[in-house]
Amino acid sequence: MSDKHDSDDKGQPDRPKTFEIKIDRTTYKVSEPVLTGAQLRRLPEPDIGPDRDLFEVVPGGSDLKIEVDARVEMRNGLRFFTAPAQINPGRD
């Protein structure tokens, strides 16, 4: 039996990879392989406030609401949009 597990990691290369993602049609470049919902909300200037929800666009499916503690694996072309957190119908 061999206990050699050290340099067999074929995961991340030493150089950081950059991912291009969009939030509300603005392009952002990120180098982290995983971002939390809170980190995504801090990318725009100003930050996305608590009065808005963040959603990942899912082509051909239902868009996915990203909670602040959610972990999102980055990949090129990811798209997100914001929407009001509460929609209050008008009153007379």
Side-chain angles (χ1 to χ4, degrees), residues 7 13 18-19 29-31 49 58 61-62 71 79-82 86:
S7 39
T18 301
F19 303 96
K29 292 185 180 188
V30 297
S31 57
V58 179
S62 296
R71 294 174 50 82
R79 292 182 297 144
F80 301 90
F81 67 93
T82 62
Q86 282 190 332

Side-chain angles (χ1 to χ4, degrees), residues 11-12 17-22 28 30-40 43 54-58 64-80:
Q12 298 292 106
K17 182 173 180 175
T18 301
F19 303 96
E20 281 195 14
I21 65 170
K22 288 189 178 189
Y28 299 91
V30 297
S31 57
E32 296 84 359
V34 176
L35 289 175
T36 64
Q39 290 170 310
L40 287 166
L43 288 175
L54 179 66
F55 292 87
E56 178 183 341
V57 175
V58 179
L64 180 63
K65 183 178 176 184
I66 305 297
E67 301 292 345
V68 292
D69 59 348
R71 294 174 50 82
V72 182
E73 191 170 326
M74 294 294 103
R75 63 184 187 278
N76 280 319
L78 270 182
R79 292 182 297 144
F80 301 90

